[in-house]
Amino acid sequence: MAGDRFAERVRGIEISGIRKMFEGAGEDAINLGIGQPDFPTPARIREAAKEAIDRGMTGYTMNAGIPELREAVCEKFGRENALSYSPDQVIVTAGASEALHIVMEALVDRGDRVLIADPGFVSYAALAELAGGRAEGLSLDASLHLDVEAAKERMDGARLLVLNTPANPTGMVESEESVKALVEYAGDMGVTVVSDEVYEHFTYGKPHVSAARFGEDVVTINATSKTYSMTGWRLGYMAAPDAVVEECIKVHQYCQACATSISQYAALAALTGDQSPVAAMREEYRARRDLLCSGLAEMGLKFPVPEGAFYAFVPMGHDLFAKIVEKGVIIVPGSAFGTRAPDYARISYAASQDDLRRALARIAEAVLED
């Protein structure tokens, strides 16, 4: 089929570099490339899904999601984030990915500038461009945090600022002072802040702070995917002022209708039940982080120790990167996350300690050969 038969907005979008690495992994490869928890979904959540199936809860739900789940989301925001939302200000989505998509489609007009961290999560730029906008990268400082003053300089005339903390791919957690400064300045400049908080529960000493604490023109996006090891359940949610929700629900209604009914009942159990599995996962991630980072440091690799999520973002040249992949350790090049960190690699520690030890041994071989 001729190339000109395809929409220009799609032809200009590249397949995710993360997916390329993931799908190209060999049989004996140790996959430290994909950001997916390796824990089973907690048993009580799985049981809630089975019960929903047995009760016949398999039809369409309200577009915005079942009322009891939206109420639970609001209670979660109040309890954990000091945010006040009503159920009418919540849309349950097919993962945080759909939430990001519908926000971009509803708020971004052709040519609008969307500010994102560079390096930053792969979806932000692509979704902005699919919506007709122009993604613009914001620089990070030497510690891999957003350069707040540099971001302020780019704010004039922008439509959105996407804030991701804890951050993918860097694993950094923005301070309360930085989040407050960015949100308040964005409010003064008429820029809507989109706050992606999917890694909020995985921090290792530095607390997560929600952006909506500091301004009204903020869209808060989260999901059960990382927190409860429910990536395949595809269940996310967004909360925003009434006017934003009113426009976003239009896009959601026509592209999705509603999030999967069974996943909604599972998410209800996740948010309202015992939270100890989340704490247990966090402590295991902390142990894995320490194992990976100490091992890499012993090889002479220097990088900021991640404060959250489950990624280390490590400087390395192309030759070393290629050797590590040749040894059968799948990692993701910094070029997958923007234009400013080509000589970096993202290494996920959402893998067992045994796999991390095996991977470190292979990386050590590559370092010696480099």
Side-chain angles (χ1 to χ4, degrees):
M1 185 178 289
D4 59 6
R5 296 285 298 277
F6 300 104
E8 183 65 31
R9 64 181 177 277
V10 175
R11 283 194 294 162
I13 301 294
E14 293 288 334
I15 295 293
S16 162
I18 301 172
R19 280 287 160 183
K20 286 179 182 177
M21 299 299 295
F22 175 61
E23 293 173 4
E27 282 186 18
D28 186 44
I30 303 167
N31 197 332
L32 304 185
I34 194 163
Q36 173 161 267
D38 63 325
F39 303 103
T41 303
R44 60 179 176 76
I45 300 173
R46 302 197 306 268
E47 290 303 317
K50 295 173 188 176
E51 182 182 340
I53 293 171
D54 291 341
R55 288 167 52 208
M57 312 302 285
T58 55
Y60 292 124
T61 73
M62 296 175 66
N63 289 142
I66 59 174
E68 53 266 52
L69 176 54
R70 286 182 284 133
E71 181 66 44
V73 167
C74 293
E75 291 173 1
K76 170 259 186 288
F77 278 134
R79 180 177 68 248
E80 297 180 353
N81 306 96
L83 302 180
S84 178
Y85 289 110
S86 69
D88 288 343
Q89 294 175 308
V90 173
I91 302 175
V92 180
T93 60
S97 298
E98 193 221 339
L100 287 164
H101 170 62
I102 65 176
V103 167
M104 296 283 187
E105 292 294 326
L107 299 186
V108 175
D109 253 330
R110 184 162 300 281
D112 280 349
R113 295 166 55 231
V114 177
L115 306 180
I116 62 175
D118 183 354
F121 180 48
V122 295
S123 291
Y124 303 145
L127 290 174
E129 290 165 13
L130 283 170
R134 291 187 293 118
E136 293 187 6
L138 299 176
S139 59
L140 307 184
D141 62 22
S143 67
L144 299 180
H145 294 89
L146 273 171
D147 185 327
V148 173
E149 294 307 313
K152 286 180 179 179
E153 293 175 3
R154 304 284 294 283
M155 208 88 76
D156 187 20
R159 180 65 189 94
L160 298 182
L161 165 65
V162 181
L163 184 60
N164 175 215
T165 177
N168 178 4
T170 63
M172 291 300 141
V173 178
E174 298 296 340
S175 68
E176 179 173 340
E177 293 75 18
S178 292
V179 174
K180 185 174 187 288
L182 288 166
V183 173
E184 289 182 346
Y185 194 82
D188 291 342
M189 302 301 290
V191 178
T192 300
V193 174
V194 178
S195 183
D196 179 351
E197 304 182 10
V198 298
Y199 295 99
E200 64 168 337
H201 284 289
F202 302 130
T203 63
Y204 315 110
K206 189 173 180 180
H208 165 73
V209 180
S210 289
R213 283 179 49 190
F214 307 111
E216 294 183 0
D217 193 9
V218 177
V219 179
T220 304
I221 291 176
N222 212 318
T224 60
S225 300
K226 314 296 186 183
T227 303
Y228 300 101
S229 195
M230 293 176 65
T231 52
W233 298 74
R234 306 314 301 134
L235 198 290
Y237 48 91
M238 58 161 284
D242 294 333
V244 174
V245 168
E246 185 177 343
E247 300 307 312
C248 286
I249 197 71
K250 297 176 186 176
V251 185
H252 173 68
Q253 182 183 63
Y254 290 114
C255 77
Q256 186 66 22
C258 62
T260 304
S261 61
I262 303 307
S263 294
Q264 291 192 55
Y265 287 100
L268 178 61
L271 291 174
T272 59
D274 176 23
Q275 300 299 300
S276 62
V278 179
M281 285 187 273
R282 178 174 59 249
E283 292 313 305
E284 175 61 18
Y285 285 136
R286 186 197 303 269
R288 296 173 180 185
R289 177 199 67 161
D290 294 346
L291 171 64
L292 176 69
C293 291
S294 62
L296 294 174
E298 287 171 6
M299 299 174 205
L301 295 171
K302 293 180 169 56
F303 56 96
V305 174
E307 301 163 337
F310 35 68
Y311 309 107
F313 203 56
V314 182
M316 64 176 66
H318 175 77
D319 289 347
L320 177 56
F321 178 91
K323 283 185 171 67
I324 290 171
V325 174
E326 286 173 9
K327 296 290 184 185
V329 180
I330 303 304
I331 56 179
V332 183
S335 58
F337 303 99
T339 63
R340 288 188 166 93
D343 294 325
Y344 278 73
R346 191 191 76 174
I347 305 176
S348 169
Y349 49 91
S352 71
Q353 293 191 38
D354 284 345
D355 278 351
L356 290 173
R357 289 188 184 94
R358 291 171 55 227
L360 284 167
R362 296 183 184 187
I363 294 170
E365 292 177 7
V367 169
L368 286 173
E369 294 175 9
D370 188 44

